[in-house]
Amino acid sequence: MERSSRDSRPATSDESATDEAGAHDRAPDLQTYAVLLRTLNSEFNRHAHAFAQRHDLHATDVHALAAILDSTALEGRPMTPSRLAERLNLTSGAVTACLDRLERAGHISRTRDSADRRVVHLVYNPGARALARQYFSPLARSTEATMRQFTPAQLATVADFLHTLNQELTAEASPGRTGR
């Protein structure tokens, strides 16, 4: 299904001066992307903070849970405390406190690597994962409904854009990289 004719993105100053059809023919500018990405981030954060409050967690705990959940998909390996500290830009002490809270609440388990017992893997417990899946199911439904408004080719382009942007943002934040 093609994207519907309604377009809820903010109009740039150039677009507001053009007719409706002409505004859809141009690619959004950097400011438009910035506004849209901040808005999306704010919405996700709003839901994450509500989940944290409902389950007596810190906002950092929810970010840690997301990083633990996504580690295998993004990196092809389980999350470790040191990589979590790097991902969340936290000290080892802050990560330890976060992991202690998550473990006490039953959200995660720490397991030793079978090949190297010094390595600790962080596991998102199945019950906690089900709890999060239930809580965030409205976001999943909204995402699925939105995806149905785009063709597979359009969705591939969006996924490529987000993947490339995430890589660039990660590289930008890496130690030793200087500003451009």
Side-chain angles (χ1 to χ4, degrees), residues 43-115:
E43 279 302 305
F44 282 134
N45 282 337
R46 186 172 62 84
H47 289 280
H49 285 266
F51 179 82
Q53 287 178 337
R54 175 175 268 182
H55 298 286
D56 296 321
L57 299 172
H58 294 229
T60 301
D61 298 348
V62 177
H63 292 292
L65 287 171
I68 293 166
L69 178 66
D70 295 343
S71 180
T72 303
L74 293 173
E75 302 170 2
R77 57 189 174 152
M79 183 58 76
T80 64
S82 61
R83 286 196 357 267
L84 183 62
E86 184 179 306
R87 170 86 49 84
L88 299 180
N89 197 28
L90 297 173
T91 65
S92 61
V95 165
T96 298
C98 173
L99 294 176
D100 288 347
R101 287 190 304 269
L102 290 172
E103 196 167 37
R104 274 193 309 274
H107 290 278
I108 65 153
S109 298
R110 295 180 236 205
T111 62
R112 297 274 177 191
D113 186 279
S114 59

Side-chain angles (χ1 to χ4, degrees), residues 103-142:
E103 196 167 37
R104 274 193 309 274
H107 290 278
I108 65 153
S109 298
R110 295 180 236 205
T111 62
R112 297 274 177 191
D113 186 279
S114 59
D116 184 349
R117 303 279 302 149
R118 296 171 296 176
V119 177
V120 174
H121 294 268
L122 305 174
V123 178
Y124 201 143
N125 292 335
R129 193 182 286 232
L131 179 74
R133 186 177 298 118
Q134 178 185 4
Y135 185 87
F136 290 106
S137 64
L139 286 177
R141 284 192 302 273
S142 294

Side-chain angles (χ1 to χ4, degrees), residues 33 36-37 40 44 74 143 154-170:
Y33 278 110
L36 292 170
L37 290 169
L40 180 64
F44 282 134
L74 293 173
T143 302
Q154 289 171 320
L155 291 171
T157 299
V158 170
D160 287 345
F161 170 79
L162 292 172
H163 176 75
T164 303
L165 178 60
N166 283 327
Q167 285 181 321
E168 181 63 27
L169 293 173
T170 299

